[in-house]
């Protein structure tokens, strides 16, 4: 019987340890994402909004195209269109001509939408799962996640 070379055994142990660490980290990221989604759902409900409507409002930091909003929401443009249609029906968002692309529309918050967004942002920051870590820790986490996504 031939025993594996020590370097092969050490490499296998290192690979196993890395796989376990990655699995644990993925579990933590997923758990945090679920907590954040639940928090958004709860806070959105307090304003008679759906979670996707709340996410759209949070992401509407200025005039955006539907494609830009969908990218920020992490969904397909057709899903963002459905959400924006409901927000438009409620008088929260308006579609306006794009200043440089006549084929596109820009999404702009109405005055009611701006007030609702301000209330939403206040609710989202209260009791947020991320509020448990300091602003400096949030910045570090942000940097680490950005590096992982590159």
């Amino acid at each position: 019987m031939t025993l594996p070379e020590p370097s092969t055994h050490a490499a296998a142990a290192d690979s196993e340890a890395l796989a376990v660490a990655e699995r644990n980290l993925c579990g933590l990221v997923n758990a945090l994402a679920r907590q954040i989604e639940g928090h958004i759902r709860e806070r959105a409900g307090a304003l008679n909004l759906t979670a996707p409507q709340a996410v759209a409002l949070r992401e509407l930091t200025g005039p955006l195209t539907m494609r830009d909003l969908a990218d920020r929401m992490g969904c397909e443009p057709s899903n963002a269109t459905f959400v924006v249609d409901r927000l438009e029906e409620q008088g929260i968002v308006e579609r306006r001509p794009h200043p440089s692309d006549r084929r596109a529309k820009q999404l702009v918050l109405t005055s009611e939408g701006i007030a609702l967004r301000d209330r939403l942002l206040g609710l989202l920051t209260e009791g947020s799962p991320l509020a448990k870590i300091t602003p400096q820790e949030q910045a570090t986490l942000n940097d680490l996640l950005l590096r992982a996504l590159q």
Side-chain angles (χ1 to χ4, degrees), residues 85-104:
D85 287 347
R86 304 295 83 71
L87 293 172
E88 189 175 36
E89 289 168 5
Q90 297 171 36
I92 297 169
V93 172
E94 291 179 349
R95 288 177 168 97
R96 294 185 184 163
H98 193 283
S100 62
D101 183 351
R102 63 185 174 96
R103 298 166 299 160

Side-chain angles (χ1 to χ4, degrees), residues 52 56 66 69-70 73-86:
M66 190 67 71
L69 178 61
M73 292 175 67
C75 68
E76 293 297 319
S78 60
N79 292 338
T81 298
F82 179 81
V83 171
V84 169
D85 287 347
R86 304 295 83 71

Side-chain angles (χ1 to χ4, degrees), residues 26-41 129:
C26 288
L28 290 170
V29 169
N30 286 331
L32 179 59
R34 285 191 304 274
Q35 279 190 5
I36 291 169
E37 288 169 8
H39 179 73
I40 291 170
R41 229 182 345 272

